[in-house]
Amino acid sequence: MERNMKIGVIAAVSIIALFVLSLLISSTPDNADNSIKFGILTLLPPLVAIALAFITKETILSLFIGVFIGEFMLCVNDLNIVSTAINAFLQLGTDVIACMADPWNAGIVLQCLLIGGIIQLVTKMGGAKALADEFAKRANTPRKAQLFTWLLGLCVFFDDYANSLIVGPIMRPVMDKLHVSREKLAFVVDATAAPVAGIAIISTWIGLEISLIAAGFKSVGVTNVTGFGIFLQTIPYRFYNIFILIFIVISALTLYEFGPMKKAEQAARARKEDEEIIVPEAPGFDEVKPVEGIKLTVWNAIIPIGTLIIGALIAFYWSGYTAILGGEDQALITLMKTAPLGFDGIFQALSQSDASVALFQAALLASIVAIVMAVGEKILTMEEAISEWVGGMKTIVITGVILLLAWSLGTVIGNIGTADYLVGVLSKSIPAFIVPTLIFILGALISFATGTSYGTMSILMPLAIPLAWAISTGDMGFTIVCTSGVLTGAIFGDHCSPISDTTILSSMGTSCNHIDHVSTQIYYAIFVASVAILIGYIPAGFGVPFYISLPIGIVILYIGLKILGEKVDFDEVEA
């Protein structure tokens, strides 16, 4: 009876809320731009999705409700909430299918599924256990294990998705053995994914980044610079990216933790040696064991994963090479014909590649190699190998659902004008020195609310460069700092957002509960971002060079961690 009463109260409150929402929207002018028409209500879908995710711990339900509210807002014509709700539900289905039909999204989902199949095959062949045992010999303490994970993250620099799905499953058994929490592993994986790919000169990000930079400077009449040249100059001012990578090392060496992460680490250290790790709502490969009686060899992991990484780089190059030759830029075509394997040729090809297609091709090749190895070594029959491969893909299905809903929420947010509203509210008349900080914060808010770094960069870069150029009366150094603020703020917001695809994939790759990952990571991300603002972007607004800010920022990170944190090691927990 009490349960029925709760359901009734929730239903009544929901109906009243939808009615009030309809009343508010119906009173606005129909011909107004959505960001003006909805005003502060544009923040409602992402805020509801994010708040519900933390409250209910149900990511899929929270995303679904967020998308539905956005669709409801777009479908309001009158106060008939029944017909509006029906139209919103129908439109939601249409948008989800449209997201799945998008070539980029489809490629990402498919490559995630295939990598899931590869991981399961590698595990069944004993490669993952052999590799974990080998790493455990060298990474035999929590400090070494975290630093080893950090180094692996730096090595998989070319793509943030691949990083999350490769490093997490490899290092998870090592971390579990050493009593390092899944939350800390997920943080290290997530913090070496987008922050590394965003500043790597060869990655799936750089094509978008340099194209946005070049277009922004062209819009203010500056044509004597290249997007790549400006990109390189922004790297020392990527304060958040640099500080978060250094923070991982400081935290690993000191074993100091604070906030919810400290509790997670204390619980992991206190866990009994033979105690089974049970993580609710965490898709992963924990239950998969190697085939009994087989000889464990690291090559059963190195060859398939190496094929994936090397194949991805080759596929990136080939995708960009063919795109350039099929395009109309004669200078690039000439470069590809005369020096295709020179530095410029390789860089241009990688920057023009279609990352989702290239990763899918590499994952498909690695899947074939893994199946052939399993059958060739007589570990599995062909039927068993394919069955295990498909079984691994089934593990990733829940991640695919979450990604589709996150992308759908991004579409709805774009339609109702959330980003435009935030830009309009926050980009008012301001003093010049605070502009880099404001751009960083604005990028973070948009990225957090929308869950996409790419979308945030695309929205904000065309506004930030002209704004910085005008305020500084053509100061190139100041404009470069502001450009860095866009690229870095987008990554910070994406890093914190529970609806971000890289955050979701990091949770999946490490078999960590998604909301636990977000709630432990966000404290560290905000701490590092605060240092980036106070020691990085505000001084940079006054013209302080990066070689002064970076060392001071590193010292502040260390001191801040010592003040806020507490050492978590085996002796203290046992005591």
Side-chain angles (χ1 to χ4, degrees):
M1 186 66 180
E2 184 179 346
R3 182 173 177 272
N4 292 335
M5 185 176 292
K6 287 182 179 178
I7 293 174
V9 170
I10 292 171
V13 170
S14 300
I15 292 171
I16 293 171
L18 291 177
F19 181 81
V20 172
L21 185 61
S22 300
L23 185 63
L24 291 172
I25 294 174
S26 298
S27 62
T28 58
D30 292 333
N31 57 350
D33 180 81
N34 278 345
S35 62
I36 299 172
K37 177 182 178 180
F38 295 128
I40 197 171
L41 292 176
T42 61
L43 301 176
L44 195 59
L47 286 180
V48 167
I50 292 167
L52 284 178
F54 281 109
I55 294 169
T56 67
K57 310 292 185 183
E58 295 287 344
T59 307
I60 292 178
L61 176 63
S62 303
L63 286 170
F64 178 86
I65 292 174
V67 177
F68 178 79
I69 289 175
E71 299 288 10
F72 185 91
M73 291 170 62
L74 291 168
C75 292
V76 168
N77 287 320
D78 49 38
L79 296 181
N80 188 340
I81 63 171
V82 175
S83 64
T84 302
I86 292 172
N87 290 332
F89 181 79
L90 295 175
Q91 188 59 43
L92 184 151
T94 302
D95 284 347
V96 170
I97 292 172
C99 286
M100 186 68 238
D102 180 85
W104 172 272
N105 293 347
I108 295 301
V109 171
L110 288 173
Q111 61 104 347
C112 288
L113 291 173
L114 292 183
I115 291 175
I118 296 166
I119 293 170
Q120 179 131 331
L121 281 172
V122 167
T123 304
K124 294 299 290 186
M125 290 191 294
K129 188 176 190 308
L131 199 60
D133 291 344
E134 194 65 30
F135 285 161
K137 294 176 184 177
R138 293 166 174 78
N140 53 5
T141 67
R143 286 188 178 93
K144 291 180 181 178
Q146 291 178 58
L147 291 175
F148 211 96
T149 306
W150 178 80
L151 283 172
L152 278 179
L154 296 183
C155 291
V156 190
F157 58 85
F158 56 88
D159 184 74
D160 51 332
Y161 295 147
N163 184 305
S164 300
L165 292 173
I166 292 173
V167 178
I170 288 176
M171 292 306 299
R172 187 178 61 245
V174 179
M175 294 289 213
D176 287 350
K177 184 177 181 181
L178 294 170
H179 296 255
V180 178
S181 67
R182 296 278 178 88
E183 290 86 349
K184 188 61 184 290
L185 173 60
F187 165 68
V188 177
V189 169
D190 205 351
T192 54
V196 172
I199 59 177
I201 61 172
I202 296 176
S203 75
T204 55
W205 286 55
I206 195 168
L208 174 70
E209 290 175 315
I210 62 174
S211 64
L212 291 173
I213 292 170
F217 276 93
K218 186 177 180 180
S219 70
V220 296
V222 179
T223 57
N224 60 341
V225 298
T226 63
F228 182 60
I230 299 296
F231 171 86
L232 291 177
Q233 293 180 68
T234 67
I235 291 177
Y237 294 99
R238 306 283 193 93
F239 294 113
Y240 179 77
N241 299 48
I242 295 169
F243 285 157
I244 196 73
L245 292 172
I246 293 172
F247 177 80
I248 295 171
V249 176
I250 295 173
S251 174
L253 291 175
T254 62
L255 294 180
Y256 268 66
E257 313 288 351
F258 64 85
M261 189 71 79
K262 183 179 76 173
K263 295 179 180 179
E265 282 291 272
Q266 288 173 334
R269 298 287 203 279
R271 191 179 67 245
K272 295 180 181 178
E273 195 65 37
D274 57 348
E275 184 179 344
E276 184 181 0
I277 301 174
I278 299 175
V279 183
E281 302 294 327
F285 304 89
D286 290 340
E287 70 282 358
V288 182
K289 306 295 181 185
V291 174
E292 291 186 9
I294 63 171
K295 180 182 178 181
L296 301 180
T297 170
V298 295
W299 294 108
N300 284 348
I302 292 174
I303 292 176
I305 294 173
T307 301
L308 174 64
I309 294 173
I310 295 171
L313 292 173
I314 294 172
F316 288 148
Y317 176 83
W318 181 251
S319 172
Y321 176 83
T322 54
I324 289 172
L325 291 183
E328 298 179 355
D329 191 325
Q330 292 302 317
L332 289 180
I333 292 173
T334 302
L335 175 64
M336 285 296 111
K337 290 182 177 179
T338 55
L341 296 179
F343 176 81
D344 286 344
I346 293 174
F347 167 74
Q348 292 294 345
L350 292 176
S351 66
Q352 297 283 332
S353 65
D354 186 331
S356 65
V357 174
L359 280 170
F360 170 72
Q361 292 167 337
L364 183 59
L365 175 63
S367 297
I368 294 171
V369 169
I371 291 172
V372 170
M373 288 181 65
V375 175
E377 295 176 24
K378 298 183 179 179
I379 297 173
L380 300 169
T381 65
M382 178 62 75
E383 183 180 355
E384 289 172 338
I386 293 176
S387 176
E388 292 293 344
W389 181 60
V390 173
M393 287 192 280
K394 289 178 181 177
T395 308
I396 310 294
V397 168
I398 186 70
T399 303
V401 173
I402 294 173
L403 285 174
L404 280 174
L405 286 172
W407 289 327
S408 300
L409 182 59
T411 300
V412 169
I413 288 169
N415 291 336
I416 64 177
T418 303
D420 292 338
Y421 172 77
L422 286 172
V423 170
V425 168
L426 297 176
S427 60
K428 303 298 183 183
S429 178
I430 47 175
F433 78 90
I434 205 70
V435 170
T437 299
L438 179 68
I439 289 174
F440 174 82
I441 294 173
L442 184 57
L445 290 173
I446 294 172
S447 185
F448 182 82
T450 60
T452 167
S453 308
Y454 283 15
T456 301
M457 293 174 187
S458 302
I459 291 165
L460 199 53
M461 192 69 79
L463 302 171
I465 291 178
L467 175 64
W469 189 261
I471 287 178
S472 66
T473 61
D475 185 333
M476 179 61 75
F478 183 84
T479 308
I480 287 171
V481 173
C482 292
T483 303
S484 168
V486 175
L487 302 173
T488 314
I491 288 175
F492 164 55
D494 182 84
H495 200 191
C496 295
S497 178
I499 60 175
S500 160
D501 42 11
T502 48
T503 309
I504 293 165
L505 290 176
S506 295
S507 301
M508 194 288 302
T510 56
S511 291
C512 178
N513 177 276
H514 180 57
I515 302 304
D516 288 344
H517 167 44
V518 174
S519 60
T520 51
Q521 173 172 270
I522 196 168
Y523 284 80
Y524 284 6
I526 291 174
F527 169 64
V528 173
S530 300
V531 176
I533 290 171
L534 296 174
I535 309 300
Y537 286 112
I538 291 178
F542 285 108
V544 176
F546 68 86
Y547 51 79
I548 293 177
S549 297
L550 288 176
I552 294 174
I554 293 170
V555 173
I556 295 298
L557 286 174
Y558 176 80
I559 294 173
L561 182 58
K562 283 283 189 175
I563 293 172
L564 295 173
E566 180 183 348
K567 189 174 183 180
V568 182
D569 60 24
F570 292 98
D571 293 336
E572 288 186 3
V573 170
E574 288 173 1

